[in-house]
Structures are given as C-alpha cells and as structure tokens.
C-alpha cells in the first residue's frame, strides 16, 4: 500500500504531460493558390490575411491580400506587384473568379474551390485524389507541383519550350516552423537564385514577420537582397 501511495503523485504529474496536438495541415486550396500566386501558405481557420514584401529601404515591393470562407475557399484575392506597377483583384462568383473591375471571367474552379482553368490562356490544372494541384498545362508551358505530408509546397517545376525552371524549398525539421526554409531556383540545372527565410510565429504556427535573404546567382558577382515580410492575419 505504501508503494502504491508513493506512485500516485507521479501519476498525477504525468497526467498533464500529454504531447501537444500536431500543427494543422495546409488545405489543398491554400497550397495550390500559394504555389501559383507566389505567397506563403497559411494554416488554420484564416478569415482574412495580407502579406507585404518590403525591400531593404522599407518600401513596399509586393502585396497579397485575401479573404476566405469558413470552408477555406478564397472569396477575394488581390495581387499587387508595386515594383512593376501591375496587379489584379479576383472575386469569387459561383465556380469562377471574376476581375473585380471588369467582371470578366478570369479563372474557372473545380471541386470545392480549387483552380481548374484560365480560359484566355488555355491553362488547365490537374489535381490528385486529395484535391492538391499536381500538374498544369498550357499552350507553351507545363508545370509540376510537389508537397510534403502536411500539404506544404516543396517544389514547382515550370517547363516552357527549351527552358526548365525548378523552384525547390527545404523546410526545417520542426513542423511548426515551415516558413524557416531555404530554397533554390535552377534554370536548366544551373543555379539562378538562393533564398533563406526566418520568421516569428503566432499560435496557429503561421508567420507574423519574416526576414528573407535572396542571392541572385545569375549576376556576376552574385548580388544579395534582403526583404522583410509582414503578415496580418484574422481568424474565425
């Protein structure tokens, strides 16, 4: 009996030592849209978000903002390339994304709310049985996509005529800090650029502020560029 009583305090201490819940996986829509429209994917019940890329002078270079439904569909997606003075705002209407200004049908959707086709460009996307985009085909271009077990985008290969562009991401071992990655871009198997990113995270394991270092290896000598990424995220 005495030995049994001695074990009780230990048992009560171990009760609160359960492993924390694993981080949430990335949805097929978030993974696909982030790969195609070049922004960091987010986890969890995201309602609205914006990602702003600032150059080393603190000037806005690019901005992505979006609002999502509770089901994870992109209701609104705005892309602004400030450096090149271009951008577009897409709004969801049934199974199409319309240009917010002209109301022209820009993108057709498949399944719940995944990318299917850009009719004007002749671009179509293929998905696997989990709903993740795995390939795309256009008039003069082909793309392939690869993800890890959590749905995090690891690679995108774009082939256009005699050019093959490979974007590969190597995330860290910590599954809660996927955005602390290193990446390389290869053009016809030759290094084009390298990147390293480190971030601070919120309680959903999403990045808040990131430092991004890019080395342009196509220049001689290579040129290093530093950016800051600021995220604002609202959840359901």
């Amino acid at each position: 009996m005495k030995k049994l009583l001695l074990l009780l305090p230990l048992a009560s201490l171990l009760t609160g030592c359960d492993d924390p819940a694993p981080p949430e996986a990335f949805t097929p829509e978030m993974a696909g849209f982030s790969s195609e429209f070049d922004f960091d994917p987010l986890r969890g019940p995201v309602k609205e978000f914006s990602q702003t890329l600032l150059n080393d002078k603190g000037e806005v270079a690019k901005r992505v903002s979006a609002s999502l439904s509770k089901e994870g569909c992109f209701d609104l997606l705005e892309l602004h390339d400030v450096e090149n003075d271009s951008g577009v705002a897409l709004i969801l209407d049934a199974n199409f994304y319309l240009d917010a200004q002209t109301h022209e049908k820009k993108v057709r959707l498949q399944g719940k709310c995944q990318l299917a086709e850009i009719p004007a460009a002749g671009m179509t996307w293929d998905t696997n049985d989990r709903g993740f985009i795995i390939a795309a085909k256009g008039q003069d271009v082909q793309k392939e996509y690869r993800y890890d077990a959590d749905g995090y985008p690891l690679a995108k290969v774009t082939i256009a005529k005699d050019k093959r562009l490979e974007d590969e991401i190597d995330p860290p071992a910590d599954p809660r800090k996927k955005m602390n990655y290193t990446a390389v871009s290869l053009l016809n198997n030759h290094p084009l650029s390298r990147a390293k990113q480190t971030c601070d995270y919120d309680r959903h394991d999403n990045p808040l502020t990131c430092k991004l270092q890019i080395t342009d290896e196509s220049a001689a000598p290579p040129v290093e560029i530093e950016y800051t990424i600021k995220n604002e995220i609202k959840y359901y």
Side-chain angles (χ1 to χ4, degrees):
M1 177 63 73
K2 187 175 181 180
K3 290 183 178 180
L4 180 59
L5 291 174
L6 288 174
L7 290 175
L8 288 176
L10 178 60
S12 64
L13 287 173
L14 292 177
T15 301
C17 294
D18 295 334
D19 292 335
E24 296 185 64
F26 298 89
T27 66
E29 293 76 21
M30 181 63 74
F33 276 66
S34 67
S35 290
E36 198 59 38
F37 298 113
D38 194 23
F39 61 87
D40 286 336
L42 302 175
R43 319 172 190 253
V46 176
K47 182 178 182 179
E48 299 175 5
F49 76 86
S50 67
Q51 293 184 9
T52 304
L53 181 70
L54 305 169
N55 61 24
D56 56 0
K57 297 179 181 179
E59 301 167 335
V60 175
K62 294 181 180 180
R63 179 182 288 116
V64 178
S65 58
S67 61
L68 292 84
S69 67
K70 289 185 177 180
E71 294 73 30
C73 298
F74 282 79
D75 291 331
L76 171 66
L77 178 64
E78 296 185 72
L79 309 166
H80 297 282
D81 186 340
V82 178
E83 289 181 327
N84 295 304
D85 192 25
S86 64
V88 66
L90 302 173
I91 54 175
L92 182 62
D93 182 37
N95 62 335
F96 277 93
Y97 281 110
L98 310 182
D99 185 301
Q101 291 186 336
T102 66
H103 294 282
E104 177 187 355
K105 291 182 178 179
K106 289 288 189 179
V107 182
R108 184 175 64 83
L109 302 178
Q110 59 180 312
K112 185 174 70 173
C113 44
Q114 183 61 285
L115 299 170
E117 180 186 12
I118 301 180
M123 174 73 73
T124 59
W125 286 276
D126 296 328
T127 58
N128 61 15
D129 55 4
R130 297 172 58 204
F132 284 85
I133 290 173
I134 55 173
K137 297 179 181 179
Q139 296 176 351
D140 299 310
V141 64
Q142 295 183 17
K143 299 180 182 181
E144 299 175 0
Y145 307 79
R146 183 164 54 86
Y147 313 87
D148 68 9
D150 293 328
Y152 180 71
L154 292 178
K156 177 180 175 182
V157 179
T158 304
I159 302 172
K161 296 183 179 180
D162 60 343
K163 295 182 179 180
R164 178 185 176 91
L165 177 64
E166 300 176 64
D167 296 312
E168 298 183 356
I169 294 178
D170 184 16
D174 188 342
R176 298 185 181 278
K177 296 183 178 181
K178 294 281 189 181
M179 303 307 160
N180 288 13
Y181 63 75
T182 57
V184 61
S185 292
L186 304 173
L187 181 60
N188 293 341
N189 294 321
H190 296 289
L192 185 63
S193 65
R194 297 184 183 275
K196 181 179 180 180
Q197 181 169 285
T198 56
C199 305
D200 298 321
Y201 294 83
D202 67 10
R203 61 187 178 87
H204 288 280
D205 305 309
N206 283 323
L208 290 175
T209 302
C210 302
K211 295 294 183 181
L212 175 62
Q213 295 178 318
I214 297 178
T215 302
D216 182 357
E217 297 193 352
S218 66
V223 176
E224 291 190 0
I225 309 170
E226 292 190 0
Y227 292 98
T228 299
I229 301 174
K230 293 187 177 181
N231 296 288
E232 294 184 4
I233 309 170
K234 294 182 180 179
Y235 297 94
Y236 282 102

